[in-house]
PDB file of all heavy atoms in Angstrom:
ATOM      1  N   GLY A   1       5.100   4.908  -3.125  1.00  0.00           N
ATOM      2  CA  GLY A   1       3.830   4.565  -2.493  1.00  0.00           C
ATOM      3  C   GLY A   1       2.677   4.490  -3.476  1.00  0.00           C
ATOM      4  O   GLY A   1       1.822   3.605  -3.375  1.00  0.00           O
ATOM      5  N   GLU A   2       2.640   5.430  -4.433  1.00  0.00           N
ATOM      6  CA  GLU A   2       1.569   5.426  -5.436  1.00  0.00           C
ATOM      7  C   GLU A   2       1.597   4.135  -6.257  1.00  0.00           C
ATOM      8  O   GLU A   2       0.541   3.582  -6.596  1.00  0.00           O
ATOM      9  CB  GLU A   2       1.720   6.632  -6.359  1.00  0.00           C
ATOM     10  CG  GLU A   2       1.347   7.962  -5.717  1.00  0.00           C
ATOM     11  CD  GLU A   2       1.696   9.153  -6.582  1.00  0.00           C
ATOM     12  OE1 GLU A   2       2.566   9.020  -7.478  1.00  0.00           O
ATOM     13  OE2 GLU A   2       1.098  10.219  -6.377  1.00  0.00           O
ATOM     14  N   GLN A   3       2.792   3.651  -6.564  1.00  0.00           N
ATOM     15  CA  GLN A   3       2.907   2.436  -7.373  1.00  0.00           C
ATOM     16  C   GLN A   3       2.459   1.201  -6.608  1.00  0.00           C
ATOM     17  O   GLN A   3       1.819   0.312  -7.176  1.00  0.00           O
ATOM     18  CB  GLN A   3       4.348   2.280  -7.873  1.00  0.00           C
ATOM     19  CG  GLN A   3       4.739   3.393  -8.833  1.00  0.00           C
ATOM     20  CD  GLN A   3       6.164   3.277  -9.342  1.00  0.00           C
ATOM     21  OE1 GLN A   3       6.521   2.316 -10.010  1.00  0.00           O
ATOM     22  NE2 GLN A   3       6.986   4.268  -9.027  1.00  0.00           N
ATOM     23  N   ILE A   4       2.752   1.170  -5.312  1.00  0.00           N
ATOM     24  CA  ILE A   4       2.289   0.050  -4.492  1.00  0.00           C
ATOM     25  C   ILE A   4       0.777   0.123  -4.317  1.00  0.00           C
ATOM     26  O   ILE A   4       0.070  -0.888  -4.431  1.00  0.00           O
ATOM     27  CB  ILE A   4       2.999   0.050  -3.126  1.00  0.00           C
ATOM     28  CG1 ILE A   4       4.512  -0.112  -3.313  1.00  0.00           C
ATOM     29  CG2 ILE A   4       2.460  -1.077  -2.242  1.00  0.00           C
ATOM     30  CD1 ILE A   4       5.304   0.052  -2.038  1.00  0.00           C
ATOM     31  N   ALA A   5       0.261   1.325  -4.061  1.00  0.00           N
ATOM     32  CA  ALA A   5      -1.185   1.499  -3.888  1.00  0.00           C
ATOM     33  C   ALA A   5      -1.942   1.122  -5.161  1.00  0.00           C
ATOM     34  O   ALA A   5      -3.030   0.541  -5.100  1.00  0.00           O
ATOM     35  CB  ALA A   5      -1.489   2.944  -3.488  1.00  0.00           C
ATOM     36  N   GLU A   6      -1.369   1.462  -6.324  1.00  0.00           N
ATOM     37  CA  GLU A   6      -2.014   1.112  -7.595  1.00  0.00           C
ATOM     38  C   GLU A   6      -2.159  -0.401  -7.734  1.00  0.00           C
ATOM     39  O   GLU A   6      -3.193  -0.898  -8.199  1.00  0.00           O
ATOM     40  CB  GLU A   6      -1.185   1.665  -8.759  1.00  0.00           C
ATOM     41  CG  GLU A   6      -1.800   1.363 -10.122  1.00  0.00           C
ATOM     42  CD  GLU A   6      -0.920   1.831 -11.262  1.00  0.00           C
ATOM     43  OE1 GLU A   6       0.264   2.131 -11.018  1.00  0.00           O
ATOM     44  OE2 GLU A   6      -1.401   1.871 -12.405  1.00  0.00           O
ATOM     45  N   MET A   7      -1.116  -1.146  -7.316  1.00  0.00           N
ATOM     46  CA  MET A   7      -1.181  -2.605  -7.349  1.00  0.00           C
ATOM     47  C   MET A   7      -2.309  -3.118  -6.454  1.00  0.00           C
ATOM     48  O   MET A   7      -3.076  -4.011  -6.833  1.00  0.00           O
ATOM     49  CB  MET A   7       0.167  -3.181  -6.893  1.00  0.00           C
ATOM     50  CG  MET A   7       0.226  -4.695  -6.833  1.00  0.00           C
ATOM     51  SD  MET A   7       0.301  -5.441  -8.457  1.00  0.00           S
ATOM     52  CE  MET A   7       1.974  -4.977  -8.930  1.00  0.00           C
ATOM     53  N   ILE A   8      -2.435  -2.529  -5.282  1.00  0.00           N
ATOM     54  CA  ILE A   8      -3.476  -2.952  -4.334  1.00  0.00           C
ATOM     55  C   ILE A   8      -4.870  -2.654  -4.891  1.00  0.00           C
ATOM     56  O   ILE A   8      -5.782  -3.482  -4.818  1.00  0.00           O
ATOM     57  CB  ILE A   8      -3.261  -2.266  -2.972  1.00  0.00           C
ATOM     58  CG1 ILE A   8      -1.942  -2.744  -2.345  1.00  0.00           C
ATOM     59  CG2 ILE A   8      -4.434  -2.539  -2.034  1.00  0.00           C
ATOM     60  CD1 ILE A   8      -1.515  -1.951  -1.132  1.00  0.00           C
ATOM     61  N   LEU A   9      -5.036  -1.462  -5.472  1.00  0.00           N
ATOM     62  CA  LEU A   9      -6.331  -1.087  -6.047  1.00  0.00           C
ATOM     63  C   LEU A   9      -6.717  -1.992  -7.209  1.00  0.00           C
ATOM     64  O   LEU A   9      -7.902  -2.291  -7.417  1.00  0.00           O
ATOM     65  CB  LEU A   9      -6.292   0.372  -6.511  1.00  0.00           C
ATOM     66  CG  LEU A   9      -6.270   1.440  -5.406  1.00  0.00           C
ATOM     67  CD1 LEU A   9      -5.933   2.804  -5.989  1.00  0.00           C
ATOM     68  CD2 LEU A   9      -7.611   1.474  -4.677  1.00  0.00           C
ATOM     69  N   GLU A  10      -5.717  -2.430  -7.962  1.00  0.00           N
ATOM     70  CA  GLU A  10      -5.968  -3.273  -9.139  1.00  0.00           C
ATOM     71  C   GLU A  10      -6.482  -4.654  -8.747  1.00  0.00           C
ATOM     72  O   GLU A  10      -7.313  -5.241  -9.449  1.00  0.00           O
ATOM     73  CB  GLU A  10      -4.673  -3.412  -9.954  1.00  0.00           C
ATOM     74  CG  GLU A  10      -4.763  -4.319 -11.170  1.00  0.00           C
ATOM     75  CD  GLU A  10      -5.616  -3.737 -12.276  1.00  0.00           C
ATOM     76  OE1 GLU A  10      -5.788  -2.497 -12.322  1.00  0.00           O
ATOM     77  OE2 GLU A  10      -6.134  -4.521 -13.101  1.00  0.00           O
ATOM     78  N   HIS A  11      -5.988  -5.183  -7.611  1.00  0.00           N
ATOM     79  CA  HIS A  11      -6.276  -6.581  -7.280  1.00  0.00           C
ATOM     80  C   HIS A  11      -7.156  -6.778  -6.054  1.00  0.00           C
ATOM     81  O   HIS A  11      -7.470  -7.913  -5.708  1.00  0.00           O
ATOM     82  CB  HIS A  11      -4.956  -7.334  -7.078  1.00  0.00           C
ATOM     83  CG  HIS A  11      -4.135  -7.450  -8.331  1.00  0.00           C
ATOM     84  ND1 HIS A  11      -4.427  -8.343  -9.335  1.00  0.00           N
ATOM     85  CD2 HIS A  11      -3.049  -6.748  -8.749  1.00  0.00           C
ATOM     86  CE1 HIS A  11      -3.551  -8.207 -10.314  1.00  0.00           C
ATOM     87  NE2 HIS A  11      -2.706  -7.249  -9.987  1.00  0.00           N
ATOM     88  N   THR A  12      -7.541  -5.697  -5.398  1.00  0.00           N
ATOM     89  CA  THR A  12      -8.430  -5.835  -4.238  1.00  0.00           C
ATOM     90  C   THR A  12      -9.533  -4.781  -4.300  1.00  0.00           C
ATOM     91  O   THR A  12      -9.415  -3.801  -5.026  1.00  0.00           O
ATOM     92  CB  THR A  12      -7.652  -5.660  -2.907  1.00  0.00           C
ATOM     93  OG1 THR A  12      -7.103  -4.331  -2.853  1.00  0.00           O
ATOM     94  CG2 THR A  12      -6.522  -6.676  -2.796  1.00  0.00           C
ATOM     95  N   GLU A  13     -10.573  -4.996  -3.541  1.00  0.00           N
ATOM     96  CA  GLU A  13     -11.674  -4.036  -3.474  1.00  0.00           C
ATOM     97  C   GLU A  13     -11.440  -3.110  -2.282  1.00  0.00           C
ATOM     98  O   GLU A  13     -11.919  -3.363  -1.169  1.00  0.00           O
ATOM     99  CB  GLU A  13     -13.002  -4.778  -3.360  1.00  0.00           C
ATOM    100  CG  GLU A  13     -13.341  -5.615  -4.588  1.00  0.00           C
ATOM    101  CD  GLU A  13     -14.680  -6.306  -4.469  1.00  0.00           C
ATOM    102  OE1 GLU A  13     -15.353  -6.108  -3.415  1.00  0.00           O
ATOM    103  OE2 GLU A  13     -15.066  -7.032  -5.397  1.00  0.00           O
ATOM    104  N   THR A  14     -10.695  -2.047  -2.525  1.00  0.00           N
ATOM    105  CA  THR A  14     -10.379  -1.101  -1.465  1.00  0.00           C
ATOM    106  C   THR A  14     -10.549   0.328  -1.976  1.00  0.00           C
ATOM    107  O   THR A  14     -10.547   0.577  -3.186  1.00  0.00           O
ATOM    108  CB  THR A  14      -8.928  -1.266  -0.973  1.00  0.00           C
ATOM    109  OG1 THR A  14      -8.040  -1.151  -2.104  1.00  0.00           O
ATOM    110  CG2 THR A  14      -8.704  -2.610  -0.322  1.00  0.00           C
ATOM    111  N   THR A  15     -10.672   1.248  -1.050  1.00  0.00           N
ATOM    112  CA  THR A  15     -10.720   2.666  -1.412  1.00  0.00           C
ATOM    113  C   THR A  15      -9.297   3.199  -1.527  1.00  0.00           C
ATOM    114  O   THR A  15      -8.331   2.538  -1.121  1.00  0.00           O
ATOM    115  CB  THR A  15     -11.474   3.465  -0.333  1.00  0.00           C
ATOM    116  OG1 THR A  15     -10.729   3.396   0.891  1.00  0.00           O
ATOM    117  CG2 THR A  15     -12.869   2.903  -0.121  1.00  0.00           C
ATOM    118  N   ASN A  16      -9.154   4.405  -2.070  1.00  0.00           N
ATOM    119  CA  ASN A  16      -7.834   5.017  -2.191  1.00  0.00           C
ATOM    120  C   ASN A  16      -7.166   5.182  -0.824  1.00  0.00           C
ATOM    121  O   ASN A  16      -5.963   4.962  -0.677  1.00  0.00           O
ATOM    122  CB  ASN A  16      -7.939   6.382  -2.885  1.00  0.00           C
ATOM    123  CG  ASN A  16      -8.271   6.257  -4.347  1.00  0.00           C
ATOM    124  OD1 ASN A  16      -8.039   5.214  -4.959  1.00  0.00           O
ATOM    125  ND2 ASN A  16      -8.807   7.313  -4.935  1.00  0.00           N
ATOM    126  N   LYS A  17      -7.960   5.583   0.172  1.00  0.00           N
ATOM    127  CA  LYS A  17      -7.420   5.772   1.515  1.00  0.00           C
ATOM    128  C   LYS A  17      -6.935   4.452   2.096  1.00  0.00           C
ATOM    129  O   LYS A  17      -5.854   4.377   2.708  1.00  0.00           O
ATOM    130  CB  LYS A  17      -8.495   6.398   2.412  1.00  0.00           C
ATOM    131  CG  LYS A  17      -7.999   6.721   3.808  1.00  0.00           C
ATOM    132  CD  LYS A  17      -9.104   7.392   4.629  1.00  0.00           C
ATOM    133  CE  LYS A  17      -8.596   7.725   6.036  1.00  0.00           C
ATOM    134  NZ  LYS A  17      -9.651   8.389   6.856  1.00  0.00           N
ATOM    135  N   GLU A  18      -7.730   3.410   1.914  1.00  0.00           N
ATOM    136  CA  GLU A  18      -7.344   2.083   2.416  1.00  0.00           C
ATOM    137  C   GLU A  18      -6.109   1.566   1.692  1.00  0.00           C
ATOM    138  O   GLU A  18      -5.220   0.960   2.310  1.00  0.00           O
ATOM    139  CB  GLU A  18      -8.510   1.106   2.244  1.00  0.00           C
ATOM    140  CG  GLU A  18      -9.696   1.376   3.159  1.00  0.00           C
ATOM    141  CD  GLU A  18     -10.911   0.564   2.788  1.00  0.00           C
ATOM    142  OE1 GLU A  18     -11.007   0.115   1.617  1.00  0.00           O
ATOM    143  OE2 GLU A  18     -11.782   0.378   3.658  1.00  0.00           O
ATOM    144  N   ALA A  19      -6.039   1.812   0.365  1.00  0.00           N
ATOM    145  CA  ALA A  19      -4.882   1.355  -0.421  1.00  0.00           C
ATOM    146  C   ALA A  19      -3.601   2.032   0.054  1.00  0.00           C
ATOM    147  O   ALA A  19      -2.544   1.402   0.142  1.00  0.00           O
ATOM    148  CB  ALA A  19      -5.109   1.620  -1.902  1.00  0.00           C
ATOM    149  N   LYS A  20      -3.710   3.324   0.388  1.00  0.00           N
ATOM    150  CA  LYS A  20      -2.526   4.039   0.888  1.00  0.00           C
ATOM    151  C   LYS A  20      -2.070   3.458   2.222  1.00  0.00           C
ATOM    152  O   LYS A  20      -0.868   3.243   2.445  1.00  0.00           O
ATOM    153  CB  LYS A  20      -2.829   5.531   1.044  1.00  0.00           C
ATOM    154  CG  LYS A  20      -1.635   6.323   1.579  1.00  0.00           C
ATOM    155  CD  LYS A  20      -1.907   7.814   1.655  1.00  0.00           C
ATOM    156  CE  LYS A  20      -0.678   8.565   2.185  1.00  0.00           C
ATOM    157  NZ  LYS A  20      -0.888  10.027   2.223  1.00  0.00           N
ATOM    158  N   ALA A  21      -3.019   3.186   3.102  1.00  0.00           N
ATOM    159  CA  ALA A  21      -2.672   2.612   4.407  1.00  0.00           C
ATOM    160  C   ALA A  21      -2.026   1.236   4.242  1.00  0.00           C
ATOM    161  O   ALA A  21      -1.046   0.904   4.929  1.00  0.00           O
ATOM    162  CB  ALA A  21      -3.927   2.513   5.277  1.00  0.00           C
ATOM    163  N   LEU A  22      -2.559   0.438   3.310  1.00  0.00           N
ATOM    164  CA  LEU A  22      -1.990  -0.889   3.068  1.00  0.00           C
ATOM    165  C   LEU A  22      -0.597  -0.792   2.444  1.00  0.00           C
ATOM    166  O   LEU A  22       0.283  -1.607   2.733  1.00  0.00           O
ATOM    167  CB  LEU A  22      -2.924  -1.706   2.162  1.00  0.00           C
ATOM    168  CG  LEU A  22      -4.241  -2.158   2.804  1.00  0.00           C
ATOM    169  CD1 LEU A  22      -5.174  -2.744   1.762  1.00  0.00           C
ATOM    170  CD2 LEU A  22      -3.961  -3.187   3.908  1.00  0.00           C
ATOM    171  N   ALA A  23      -0.399   0.207   1.566  1.00  0.00           N
ATOM    172  CA  ALA A  23       0.916   0.400   0.948  1.00  0.00           C
ATOM    173  C   ALA A  23       1.955   0.774   2.001  1.00  0.00           C
ATOM    174  O   ALA A  23       3.090   0.263   1.981  1.00  0.00           O
ATOM    175  CB  ALA A  23       0.829   1.482  -0.122  1.00  0.00           C
ATOM    176  N   ILE A  24       1.597   1.646   2.924  1.00  0.00           N
ATOM    177  CA  ILE A  24       2.513   2.029   4.002  1.00  0.00           C
ATOM    178  C   ILE A  24       2.817   0.824   4.886  1.00  0.00           C
ATOM    179  O   ILE A  24       3.959   0.602   5.298  1.00  0.00           O
ATOM    180  CB  ILE A  24       1.918   3.185   4.828  1.00  0.00           C
ATOM    181  CG1 ILE A  24       1.872   4.467   3.983  1.00  0.00           C
ATOM    182  CG2 ILE A  24       2.728   3.414   6.105  1.00  0.00           C
ATOM    183  CD1 ILE A  24       1.137   5.617   4.635  1.00  0.00           C
ATOM    184  N   GLU A  25       1.796   0.011   5.128  1.00  0.00           N
ATOM    185  CA  GLU A  25       2.000  -1.193   5.931  1.00  0.00           C
ATOM    186  C   GLU A  25       2.924  -2.179   5.203  1.00  0.00           C
ATOM    187  O   GLU A  25       3.754  -2.848   5.841  1.00  0.00           O
ATOM    188  CB  GLU A  25       0.656  -1.854   6.234  1.00  0.00           C
ATOM    189  CG  GLU A  25       0.743  -3.116   7.075  1.00  0.00           C
ATOM    190  CD  GLU A  25       1.455  -2.894   8.400  1.00  0.00           C
ATOM    191  OE1 GLU A  25       1.337  -1.804   8.991  1.00  0.00           O
ATOM    192  OE2 GLU A  25       2.161  -3.830   8.848  1.00  0.00           O
ATOM    193  N   ALA A  26       2.799  -2.257   3.870  1.00  0.00           N
ATOM    194  CA  ALA A  26       3.678  -3.132   3.092  1.00  0.00           C
ATOM    195  C   ALA A  26       5.129  -2.656   3.185  1.00  0.00           C
ATOM    196  O   ALA A  26       6.054  -3.461   3.309  1.00  0.00           O
ATOM    197  CB  ALA A  26       3.231  -3.169   1.630  1.00  0.00           C
ATOM    198  N   LEU A  27       5.332  -1.351   3.130  1.00  0.00           N
ATOM    199  CA  LEU A  27       6.682  -0.796   3.289  1.00  0.00           C
ATOM    200  C   LEU A  27       7.218  -1.073   4.691  1.00  0.00           C
ATOM    201  O   LEU A  27       8.407  -1.370   4.861  1.00  0.00           O
ATOM    202  CB  LEU A  27       6.666   0.711   3.016  1.00  0.00           C
ATOM    203  CG  LEU A  27       6.452   1.127   1.559  1.00  0.00           C
ATOM    204  CD1 LEU A  27       6.238   2.634   1.459  1.00  0.00           C
ATOM    205  CD2 LEU A  27       7.631   0.702   0.685  1.00  0.00           C
ATOM    206  N   ARG A  28       6.346  -0.989   5.680  1.00  0.00           N
ATOM    207  CA  ARG A  28       6.769  -1.288   7.054  1.00  0.00           C
ATOM    208  C   ARG A  28       7.129  -2.769   7.179  1.00  0.00           C
ATOM    209  O   ARG A  28       8.088  -3.137   7.872  1.00  0.00           O
ATOM    210  CB  ARG A  28       5.664  -0.917   8.027  1.00  0.00           C
ATOM    211  CG  ARG A  28       6.039  -1.134   9.496  1.00  0.00           C
ATOM    212  CD  ARG A  28       4.950  -0.653  10.443  1.00  0.00           C
ATOM    213  NE  ARG A  28       4.838   0.813  10.433  1.00  0.00           N
ATOM    214  CZ  ARG A  28       3.843   1.490   9.917  1.00  0.00           C
ATOM    215  NH1 ARG A  28       2.829   0.845   9.343  1.00  0.00           N
ATOM    216  NH2 ARG A  28       3.807   2.809   9.959  1.00  0.00           N
ATOM    217  N   GLN A  29       6.385  -3.616   6.497  1.00  0.00           N
ATOM    218  CA  GLN A  29       6.613  -5.061   6.565  1.00  0.00           C
ATOM    219  C   GLN A  29       7.993  -5.442   6.033  1.00  0.00           C
ATOM    220  O   GLN A  29       8.615  -6.382   6.524  1.00  0.00           O
ATOM    221  CB  GLN A  29       5.528  -5.807   5.775  1.00  0.00           C
ATOM    222  CG  GLN A  29       5.599  -7.323   5.920  1.00  0.00           C
ATOM    223  CD  GLN A  29       4.533  -8.016   5.098  1.00  0.00           C
ATOM    224  OE1 GLN A  29       4.017  -7.467   4.117  1.00  0.00           O
ATOM    225  NE2 GLN A  29       4.182  -9.229   5.474  1.00  0.00           N
ATOM    226  N   VAL A  30       8.474  -4.713   5.035  1.00  0.00           N
ATOM    227  CA  VAL A  30       9.799  -5.013   4.478  1.00  0.00           C
ATOM    228  C   VAL A  30      10.899  -4.216   5.171  1.00  0.00           C
ATOM    229  O   VAL A  30      12.011  -4.086   4.663  1.00  0.00           O
ATOM    230  CB  VAL A  30       9.837  -4.776   2.953  1.00  0.00           C
ATOM    231  CG1 VAL A  30       8.865  -5.680   2.238  1.00  0.00           C
ATOM    232  CG2 VAL A  30       9.585  -3.315   2.598  1.00  0.00           C
ATOM    233  N   ARG A  31      10.580  -3.681   6.358  1.00  0.00           N
ATOM    234  CA  ARG A  31      11.546  -2.963   7.196  1.00  0.00           C
ATOM    235  C   ARG A  31      12.095  -1.718   6.509  1.00  0.00           C
ATOM    236  O   ARG A  31      13.266  -1.372   6.651  1.00  0.00           O
ATOM    237  CB  ARG A  31      12.712  -3.858   7.584  1.00  0.00           C
ATOM    238  CG  ARG A  31      12.493  -4.919   8.665  1.00  0.00           C
ATOM    239  CD  ARG A  31      11.304  -5.743   8.504  1.00  0.00           C
ATOM    240  NE  ARG A  31      11.287  -6.900   9.419  1.00  0.00           N
ATOM    241  CZ  ARG A  31      10.315  -7.802   9.420  1.00  0.00           C
ATOM    242  NH1 ARG A  31       9.293  -7.679   8.586  1.00  0.00           N
ATOM    243  NH2 ARG A  31      10.347  -8.813  10.252  1.00  0.00           N
ATOM    244  N   MET A  32      11.245  -1.015   5.763  1.00  0.00           N
ATOM    245  CA  MET A  32      11.640   0.252   5.148  1.00  0.00           C
ATOM    246  C   MET A  32      11.670   1.330   6.232  1.00  0.00           C
ATOM    247  O   MET A  32      10.672   1.534   6.931  1.00  0.00           O
ATOM    248  CB  MET A  32      10.653   0.644   4.049  1.00  0.00           C
ATOM    249  CG  MET A  32      10.976   1.975   3.379  1.00  0.00           C
ATOM    250  SD  MET A  32      12.376   1.877   2.252  1.00  0.00           S
ATOM    251  CE  MET A  32      11.540   1.264   0.768  1.00  0.00           C
ATOM    252  N   PRO A  33      12.775   2.059   6.390  1.00  0.00           N
ATOM    253  CA  PRO A  33      12.827   3.131   7.401  1.00  0.00           C
ATOM    254  C   PRO A  33      11.811   4.237   7.079  1.00  0.00           C
ATOM    255  O   PRO A  33      11.649   4.607   5.916  1.00  0.00           O
ATOM    256  CB  PRO A  33      14.264   3.664   7.276  1.00  0.00           C
ATOM    257  CG  PRO A  33      15.033   2.587   6.581  1.00  0.00           C
ATOM    258  CD  PRO A  33      14.053   1.892   5.692  1.00  0.00           C
ATOM    259  N   SER A  34      11.118   4.730   8.083  1.00  0.00           N
ATOM    260  CA  SER A  34      10.137   5.809   7.929  1.00  0.00           C
ATOM    261  C   SER A  34       9.188   5.557   6.755  1.00  0.00           C
ATOM    262  O   SER A  34       9.158   6.304   5.780  1.00  0.00           O
ATOM    263  CB  SER A  34      10.855   7.153   7.725  1.00  0.00           C
ATOM    264  OG  SER A  34      11.781   7.405   8.747  1.00  0.00           O
ATOM    265  N   PRO A  35       8.385   4.499   6.792  1.00  0.00           N
ATOM    266  CA  PRO A  35       7.542   4.146   5.643  1.00  0.00           C
ATOM    267  C   PRO A  35       6.566   5.243   5.221  1.00  0.00           C
ATOM    268  O   PRO A  35       6.295   5.400   4.027  1.00  0.00           O
ATOM    269  CB  PRO A  35       6.803   2.887   6.115  1.00  0.00           C
ATOM    270  CG  PRO A  35       6.908   2.904   7.607  1.00  0.00           C
ATOM    271  CD  PRO A  35       8.202   3.576   7.916  1.00  0.00           C
TER     272      PRO A  35
END
């Protein structure tokens, strides 16, 4: 999750909390169990 959030923080204007939520959503999007 930290690695996905880091990618989001690098390329978008988001806070750490928002980046974490987006990272979890990205894991959910790829059908990861218990994201």
